[in-house]
Structure formats: structure tokens, C-alpha cells
Amino acid sequence: MKMFKQLPFSNWIDTIVNWLTEHLSGIFSFLQTAENAVMNVTTNILLAIPPFVMILLLVLLAFFVFKRKIGFPIFILIGLLFIYNQNMWDDLMSTITLVLISSLISIIIGVPLGILMSKSDTVEKIVKPLLDLMQTMPGFVYLIPAVAFFGIGMVPGVFASVIFALPPTVRMTNLGIRSISKELVETSDSFGSTS
């Protein structure tokens, strides 16, 4: 026995999505075209580097990042050679492009938002529940509206990745700024530092 009438939530969502696709399709089309162009240029730049040169650079980078330990660089060498052997190098470069673009967009949006959160308790109270929601939803849930707005391709993947990667960026920026001691802030102010 139901005590309350069921809310027409799905109808509301359908109405919102239909309105967005009908009235903002030009914006979504522009964003898709622009992002595809940026991603194609980035992928082409990565593909212009010969695969064995890229493999050598990544192995050397791993060697120096992991303090000259040889285990992980050898693992990277074997993995990248296997990918090249399986003719999946172009797909790897497309995936790296997706990760680079998504990370860059997450940083561009997340750091200023984290700074804003650290400066205002009201903004923090508003944004924190949204970040919680973004982190608890599975990644494929973000693909549904992304595909509806942008179609199938790399752009919905970037959209979903940005939504998934944005909360840690915002939270860490907020936490980093809030955890600076008051004495350090007073010292920097006394030396003429800006906020």
C-alpha cells in the first residue's frame, strides 16, 4: 500500500534532456567539433614520434622517476613492446590523448574551484555534496548524458573522465590551502605576499 504518490522524476529528467538537446544543440556541436580537433592534433603529434623513440623516452623517464631501479622500467618496456607488436600503438596514443586532455580540463576547472572552496565556507557547503555525488556514481553513468549531447566518440569519454577526475582535484586543492597554518599565512602577509 502506497502512502505517497510517485513523483514523475523520469518525466522531469526527460523534459530537461529534451530541452537541452533542442535549445543547446549548437553549443554541444561546437564543443564536440572543437574538442575533436584538439584531440586529433594531440594524437597526431604523439603519432609523429616514432614508436621506438617514444618507448625509449618512457623507459628512461620511468628509470629516473623510480630512482634508478630497473624493475618497473623493464615492465614498461615489455608492455609497450607488446602493445606495438599487437598493432595497437595508434589506440594507445588515442587513449593517452584522452587521459591528457581530461587531466588538463580537470586541473583547469578543479584548481580554481578548490581555491574558491578554501576561501568560502558557503561554497564548500554547496560544492562538497556535488563532489560526493560525482565520486559515488559509476563512471558509465556519466556516459549516458554525454552520448545524448555529444554523440558517440572520444568527446563523451573525455566528458565522463573529467567528471570522474574532477572531485579529487577540487578536494586536494581545498585541503591543501585550508591546511596551511595561520602562522605561515601571517608571515607571508608580513612580507607583502598577496592572497
Side-chain angles (χ1 to χ4, degrees), residues 2-87:
K2 288 187 176 180
M3 292 182 65
F4 299 105
K5 184 179 176 186
Q6 182 179 1
L7 292 173
F9 193 71
S10 61
N11 294 338
W12 297 343
I13 297 296
D14 287 341
T15 304
I16 291 169
V17 168
N18 289 337
W19 187 89
L20 287 172
T21 52
E22 186 178 321
H23 291 89
L24 301 179
S25 61
I27 293 172
F28 294 133
S29 179
F30 170 76
L31 289 173
Q32 182 180 15
T33 305
E35 197 160 334
N36 275 332
V38 169
M39 293 183 77
N40 288 337
V41 167
T42 307
T43 303
N44 290 336
I45 290 170
L46 290 173
L47 287 172
I49 302 170
F52 291 110
V53 173
M54 179 73 90
I55 290 171
L56 179 66
L57 290 173
L58 291 174
V59 168
L60 287 173
L61 178 69
F63 180 72
F64 288 111
V65 166
F66 287 93
K67 298 182 174 69
R68 302 189 178 167
K69 293 180 182 171
I70 198 72
F72 194 68
I74 288 176
F75 178 74
I76 288 177
L77 177 66
I78 292 168
L80 290 175
L81 287 174
F82 179 73
I83 290 170
Y84 181 75
N85 177 266
Q86 297 298 306
N87 293 324

Side-chain angles (χ1 to χ4, degrees), residues 167-184:
T169 307
V170 175
R171 287 182 193 277
M172 289 302 182
T173 304
N174 179 31
L175 180 66
I177 293 173
R178 284 185 182 269
S179 62
I180 296 173
S181 67
K182 298 250 190 254
E183 294 82 14
L184 193 58

Side-chain angles (χ1 to χ4, degrees), residues 2 8 12 44 49-50 67 90 93 95 105-106 108 116-117 127 136 141 144 147 151 160 173 179 182 186 193-194:
K2 288 187 176 180
W12 297 343
N44 290 336
I49 302 170
K67 298 182 174 69
D90 291 355
M93 293 302 110
T95 303
I105 293 171
S106 295
I108 289 171
L116 186 62
M117 276 179 65
V127 172
T136 55
V141 171
I144 297 167
V147 168
T173 304
S179 62
K182 298 250 190 254
E186 289 171 3
S193 173
T194 63

